[in-house]
Amino acid sequence: MRVLIVEDEPNLGQQLKNTLEGAGYAIDLATDGEEGHFLGSTENYDAVVLDLGLPEIDGLTVLDRWRKEGKVMPVLVLTARDSWSDKVAGLDAGADDYVAKPFQSEELIARLRALIRRASGNASSELIAGDVRLDTRSGKVTLAGEPVKLTAQEYKLLSYLLHHKGKVVSRTELIEHIYDQDFDRDSNTIEVFVTRIRKKLGQDVITTIRGLGYSLEEPNG
């Protein structure tokens, strides 16, 4: 899952980036509203963490512009601790949730996970396809109840396909959503990761749709 952080305070921005990367997300970091608006308008993100007090363009304006441009990715706004008006204004501008500063990293990650799940139509924290289970809280994957060890990139790819179960996902879409902005998008590593996942979870877990991409569906579904 690929997340955009828009935060002008250098230490907090880097802390958020490190924390979310540690939780398995691909992260792009913008340090002002203008850069944040540009990235959110031109790149594909599964969610955005948006500070409201930004230089160049304030966070509410950035959010309002995205929504008017038809951008529907979930947005989690960061607000001042006691500023209820910021919370109301953020939600009215199109935010999906908010976290007040200072916050616990665990709360922010949990809220982000929930936003991404809901945006893809998944209510439960467990993503299931047949005997394959992925727990988004713990990051654990099991096959018929037995734990399966995946690399970070294998996990990201499987997680994205499970979040979009039953849909055909192109190779380009996978690259856009599991890697950050600086990744070499001409790489053929998606095919390598799919092959590795099949070896660990079964050849039929991911279906190749020739010329279109990949699909993960319920067995016999």
Side-chain angles (χ1 to χ4, degrees), residues 60-81:
L60 284 177
T61 301
V62 170
L63 179 55
D64 184 60
R65 288 182 183 179
W66 281 337
R67 294 315 191 212
K68 287 178 178 176
E69 292 164 0
K71 294 294 181 179
V72 297
M73 67 281 194
V75 174
L76 176 69
V77 297
L78 304 180
T79 71
R81 184 179 186 122

Side-chain angles (χ1 to χ4, degrees), residues 160-172:
Y160 191 83
L161 290 176
L162 280 168
H163 273 90
H164 299 84
K165 184 171 65 175
K167 300 176 182 177
V168 178
V169 180
S170 70
R171 177 178 170 275
T172 299

